[in-house]
Amino acid sequence: FGRVKEVVPFLRDGRRLCNIALLHSIATKEFVYSRKNERAYMDNLEGMNSALLNHHLPFEFVTERDVESGLDTKRFKALILANAMCLSDSTVKAIGDFVSAGGGLLATYRSSMLNEKGEERDEMGLAPILGIETMGLVVRPGGGQVGTAALGREATNWYRVLAGSPV
């Protein structure tokens, strides 16, 4: 702690770096991935974690509760959903509020395709926010080592970008 005293003058009037919020979706972990395949969920999250670390991007983990409490756009510039398949309507609304306030959003794969109980939606919850429409979903037998393929099935989906979408 001897050097702390030397550093303090440089910290006065300092500002926090703008962070990225990385969602750790508890609902997705509980409802999509069984206990024996929890590793597949963690692979999604850890992969995004590694990508952010490798590019030296400051980020913090957040949960659905944090998102629903309202992400401050002065603190967070973007929210990343690493295949956060299960999102409640209130979480989706809070994400929409964050984006409307100027926050960025990166949602990978099937984020928001299910509600918080793991039940399939007719349309991806984030579709209006992302400016896309689900065109199809095919679940076929899979034989891979990770994700849904490790469960004996592999999901492939198609989206259409709507006119006026920022995508």
Side-chain angles (χ1 to χ4, degrees):
F1 292 108
R3 300 212 59 206
V4 171
K5 189 175 180 179
E6 296 172 28
V7 175
V8 167
F10 299 102
L11 297 177
R12 286 196 179 97
D13 300 320
R15 293 182 309 126
R16 265 190 126 154
L17 289 173
C18 296
N19 286 309
I20 296 168
L22 176 56
L23 179 67
H24 181 309
S25 176
I26 306 301
T28 301
K29 186 175 170 184
E30 289 179 0
F31 290 103
V32 175
Y33 297 94
S34 64
R35 294 241 180 247
K36 63 183 177 183
N37 198 35
E38 188 177 294
R39 179 80 249 146
Y41 169 74
M42 295 308 293
D43 284 346
N44 294 321
L45 192 62
E46 290 173 12
M48 192 61 70
N49 175 68
S50 292
L52 292 168
L53 287 173
N54 288 339
H55 287 87
H56 308 287
L57 296 170
F59 71 97
E60 291 181 34
F61 285 102
V62 296
T63 65
E64 289 93 342
R65 183 180 293 172
D66 297 321
V67 172
E68 290 174 17
S69 295
L71 296 177
D72 181 3
T73 54
K74 290 179 183 157
R75 183 170 174 201
F76 296 108
K77 292 298 180 195
L79 171 64
I80 297 177
L81 312 176
N83 198 24
M85 292 175 68
C86 298
L87 296 177
S88 69
D89 291 340
S90 57
T91 302
V92 170
K93 182 188 178 318
I95 292 170
D97 293 344
F98 174 71
V99 170
S100 294
L105 176 64
L106 171 64
T108 66
Y109 195 41
R110 296 186 69 213
S111 291
S112 80
M113 285 298 290
L114 310 173
N115 68 17
E116 73 277 13
K117 296 177 184 170
E119 301 163 339
E120 190 117 8
R121 287 187 162 104
D122 290 334
E123 177 57 273
M124 184 181 195
L126 293 170
I129 297 165
L130 295 170
I132 62 174
E133 175 182 37
T134 303
M135 298 303 295
L137 170 67
V138 175
V139 179
R140 61 183 184 221
Q145 299 296 315
V146 296
T148 55
L151 298 174
R153 62 190 194 288
E154 184 176 48
T156 304
N157 39 306
W158 293 267
Y159 301 105
R160 178 174 65 156
V161 177
L162 302 176
S165 170
V167 175

